[in-house]
Amino acid sequence: MKIVLIVLLTITSLGFSQTDKIVEDLRTGNPMLIGETTRNAFQNESFSGWYNAQYTKYEVNNGRLESSKEKIKEKSITIVMGTWCGDSRREVPRMLKILDIIDFPKEQVSIINVDRNMKGTSSDVDSLNIKAVPTFILYEDDKEIGRIIESPEETLEKDLVRIVD
């Protein structure tokens, strides 16, 4: 019976990708997320303070999004970030709040965390040409149509509309 359970657990673990992996930031000794991440990871006590504060206090300019929200919802978005990065800690919760406000489909958002060398796990970011974080990459039919890198040129809302219009 134990052998059957071990085999089943092994097969099950091989069939699913590992998400929400926390490692130690070698520079600071603090926890950091690495690789593909779910939004639930931001509720870990190591990240929830800054995440929830930024998400809660950000006021979305919904009026700016209104005319383009259906176009935005037709896209997919990859977010590459670092939990060690101040810009990521500020902009990612804000972007996720914007996406929540417009009812953006959660399955069309991918979040990948990188270390200070802009590396994730295996080859998850190698082909994305990431130079700084956060980087928000918008796709239409699997083709990149624009990026917001580090911080928006104007606001996240205006930059999103500019990319999709």
Side-chain angles (χ1 to χ4, degrees), residues 73-110:
K73 289 165 60 171
E74 294 172 356
K75 312 306 182 235
S76 61
I77 300 174
T78 296
I79 300 171
V80 182
M81 65 170 292
T83 54
W84 47 267
C85 167
D87 291 335
S88 292
R89 289 178 175 208
R90 181 187 62 247
E91 301 298 341
V92 171
R94 292 174 177 186
M95 176 64 82
L96 292 175
K97 185 170 185 176
I98 291 167
L99 297 178
D100 288 346
I101 293 289
I102 66 168
D103 294 321
F104 190 86
K106 290 181 182 1
E107 66 274 5
Q108 291 170 213
V109 178
S110 174

Side-chain angles (χ1 to χ4, degrees), residues 2-67:
K2 285 183 180 179
I3 294 173
V4 172
L5 183 59
I6 291 170
V7 169
L8 284 174
L9 288 173
T10 303
I11 291 170
T12 302
S13 68
L14 291 174
F16 296 98
S17 64
Q18 189 175 20
T19 58
D20 300 345
K21 182 177 179 184
I22 298 174
V23 298
E24 180 182 341
D25 180 346
L26 297 179
R27 185 182 296 174
T28 65
N30 293 327
M32 72 177 176
L33 290 165
I34 193 79
E36 193 171 340
T37 304
T38 65
R39 288 177 67 165
N40 290 338
F42 300 123
Q43 295 312 309
N44 176 287
E45 66 183 21
S46 298
F47 316 112
S48 62
W50 56 262
Y51 179 85
N52 293 334
Q54 286 295 330
Y55 187 95
T56 301
K57 77 177 186 179
Y58 189 65
E59 293 185 27
V60 175
N61 183 345
N62 201 19
R64 184 68 180 122
L65 296 167
E66 194 57 40
S67 64

Side-chain angles (χ1 to χ4, degrees), residues 110-142:
S110 174
I111 303 170
I112 303 170
N113 277 273
V114 295
D115 62 17
R116 293 175 184 275
N117 297 315
M118 304 300 158
K119 298 291 181 192
T121 55
S122 65
S123 60
D124 52 3
V125 294
D126 290 347
S127 64
L128 298 178
N129 194 30
I130 301 300
K131 303 288 187 212
V133 290
T135 298
F136 303 98
I137 309 170
L138 279 78
Y139 295 93
E140 182 172 26
D141 299 323
D142 296 323

